[in-house]
Amino acid sequence: MRSMPHIHKERLAAGRVRQLRVFIDKCSIEVFDADGKMSMTNLVFPTTPYNKVSVKGKVKIKIYAIKGNDNEQCD
């Protein structure tokens, strides 16, 4: 099976989103609104590691590397 990009859109509550926290690892993508109004989890099974994140709009981005077990499997 080939890895393919996927776009997931989520309708947010009315108002401005001040902060989103996005966690990406080998098997999942999780997104949390800092105000606690929205959360989303997707299980993923990529054939190659993710190496790109795209964001639309006027944003500030901070990327942190979280060390973990490099031998973790997505089965």
Side-chain angles (χ1 to χ4, degrees), residues 8-72:
H8 186 97
K9 296 181 180 182
E10 182 68 33
R11 183 180 298 257
L12 300 175
R16 183 177 165 177
V17 175
R18 292 187 177 90
Q19 184 180 53
L20 288 178
R21 294 182 181 187
V22 180
F23 298 88
I24 302 170
D25 68 13
K26 291 181 181 181
C27 304
S28 66
I29 300 172
E30 298 186 277
V31 180
F32 301 93
D33 173 5
D35 292 330
K37 296 178 183 174
M38 188 274 299
S39 66
M40 178 186 75
T41 300
N42 280 342
L43 294 178
V44 294
F45 303 96
T47 55
T48 58
Y50 292 117
N51 61 5
K52 180 180 177 181
V53 175
S54 298
V55 180
K56 290 185 178 182
K58 185 177 177 181
V59 298
K60 291 182 183 179
I61 298 174
K62 292 182 184 179
I63 298 175
Y64 301 94
I66 299 174
K67 294 186 179 186
N69 183 355
D70 286 337
N71 296 322
E72 180 181 327

